[in-house]
Amino acid sequence: MNNRNLLITAAVVLAALLLIYVVGRGPDEEPAVAVSTESEQLQPRELEATQFRPPPEPQAPASPPQITEEVPVEPPGPPEPEPAALPGLNDSDEFVREQLAELSVGAQVLPILVADEIIRKVAVLTENTSRGVLPLRDLPLRSLTQPMQVRRLENEIYLMDPASYHRFDPVVDALVAVDVDQALSAYQTLSPLLQQAYAEIGYPNRSFEEALVETIDRVLNAPMEQGPFRLVRPAVMYRFADERLEKLSDVEKLLLRMGPDNAERLKQKLREFRDRL
């Protein structure tokens, strides 16, 4: 196994931050009710001079004036901040870093980001992983260096050392620590750029969110197998000795390399994300 598989696992962290569908809520509106009153003056009827005028009847005392209680009006609160102006896709890398830096796990994600074309590379990664494929290049995260640990059994048969599972601990820890509300906000901001990049790679009539949902569902539905796993190395890269396992998709095989504990932690967090979609 090469470092690409480690990098892809870290990419799952970044993709998960962008997986959340945001439902906006408009401000509450209170209808203003205007009440108007008109006073009518009664004009007395003029009488003829020769007509007898009886003495005026006593008038009832005037009713006391009505006292209207004034309801204090709350002063308006501070205006909501204007949404951040989006840069062009070609100039979006620094903006993406600024948005991710606001996340609680930003300090863990930012060091492994590539220097350029982050949004476009996330779009490429998401489309590929939605079909179970791990791309060989144009990935949004830097390569990680820890190799898989194996023990030689006999001839060209190796055994994957369970200690290799711990290579994935940092990225899974980062994902599990993601605050969902912060992730929602980040996705809401970056969504137009992601959609634009997704259209560029040949999907102008498909929602980027559909690919994100397919990606997360593929991870959640991946079968889990208990190791230890035997490996062969016919060339540079290790392969599963069990052909049934080797025929699994790239994403499914990656989950096996992560180990059952990390894979379950990953799935549990992604279920939380999926429930919010």
Side-chain angles (χ1 to χ4, degrees):
M1 170 182 169
N2 63 5
N3 292 331
R4 177 176 63 88
N5 292 316
L6 288 170
L7 190 151
I8 291 298
T9 300
V12 173
V13 176
L14 181 61
L17 299 181
L18 307 174
L19 261 171
I20 311 304
Y21 182 80
V22 179
V23 179
R25 181 177 64 85
D28 297 330
E29 296 181 0
E30 295 183 3
V33 179
V35 179
S36 61
T37 59
E38 295 181 0
S39 59
E40 297 180 356
Q41 294 184 352
L42 299 177
Q43 302 296 331
R45 185 163 55 96
E46 294 184 0
L47 301 178
E48 295 180 359
T50 57
Q51 186 177 9
F52 172 76
R53 296 184 178 180
E57 297 181 358
Q59 297 182 355
S63 58
Q66 298 292 327
I67 299 176
T68 304
E69 181 181 356
E70 295 185 1
V71 179
V73 178
E74 293 288 338
E80 294 185 1
E82 293 292 330
L86 287 178
L89 191 55
N90 291 335
D91 304 314
S92 61
D93 289 323
E94 186 59 34
F95 182 78
V96 171
R97 292 188 185 91
E98 292 173 357
Q99 293 299 311
L100 294 180
E102 298 296 324
L103 300 175
S104 58
V105 295
Q108 295 166 270
V109 175
L110 289 175
I112 58 177
L113 280 176
V114 295
D116 61 348
E117 303 289 359
I118 299 171
I119 290 290
R120 285 189 172 100
K121 290 173 181 177
V122 168
V124 171
L125 171 69
T126 303
E127 171 55 29
N128 278 272
T129 52
S130 71
R131 296 180 281 108
V133 178
L134 298 181
L136 295 174
R137 56 188 181 86
D138 292 333
L139 297 169
L141 296 148
R142 300 181 188 275
S143 177
L144 303 181
T145 57
Q146 288 179 287
M148 182 169 60
Q149 299 180 44
V150 301
R151 290 189 293 113
R152 185 190 293 269
L153 295 180
E154 53 181 296
N155 296 330
E156 295 302 316
I157 303 296
Y158 303 84
L159 188 69
M160 184 190 301
D161 193 325
S164 292
Y165 300 156
H166 297 299
R167 297 172 299 161
F168 299 92
D169 289 351
V171 288
V172 177
D173 290 344
L175 176 57
V176 171
V178 169
D179 180 88
V180 176
D181 290 332
Q182 289 182 343
L184 286 169
S185 178
Y187 178 78
Q188 183 181 36
T189 301
L190 299 174
S191 180
L193 292 173
L194 289 163
Q195 185 62 47
Q196 182 181 348
Y198 194 57
E200 279 188 358
I201 63 175
Y203 299 93
N205 300 319
R206 188 186 186 210
S207 168
F208 174 76
E209 292 167 1
E210 293 179 24
L212 287 173
V213 172
E214 291 177 7
T215 296
I216 196 169
D217 284 346
R218 182 172 289 278
V219 174
L220 293 179
N221 296 327
M224 293 307 301
E225 301 276 347
Q226 291 296 326
F229 300 110
R230 292 190 171 219
L231 307 171
V232 294
R233 194 177 187 182
V236 177
M237 298 171 56
Y238 291 103
R239 294 166 48 97
F240 287 99
D242 187 338
E243 285 299 320
R244 179 180 59 87
L245 299 180
E246 186 58 35
K247 290 179 180 179
L248 295 175
S249 71
D250 293 346
V251 171
E252 291 168 337
K253 287 188 286 188
L254 174 59
L255 290 171
L256 296 184
R257 294 185 177 106
M258 293 173 59
D261 291 340
N262 276 332
E264 182 53 39
R265 293 170 63 213
L266 175 65
K267 287 187 175 187
Q268 184 175 351
K269 190 64 177 184
L270 292 182
R271 287 188 193 100
E272 181 183 350
F273 289 159
R274 186 66 173 89
D275 289 343
R276 298 287 294 272
L277 294 180

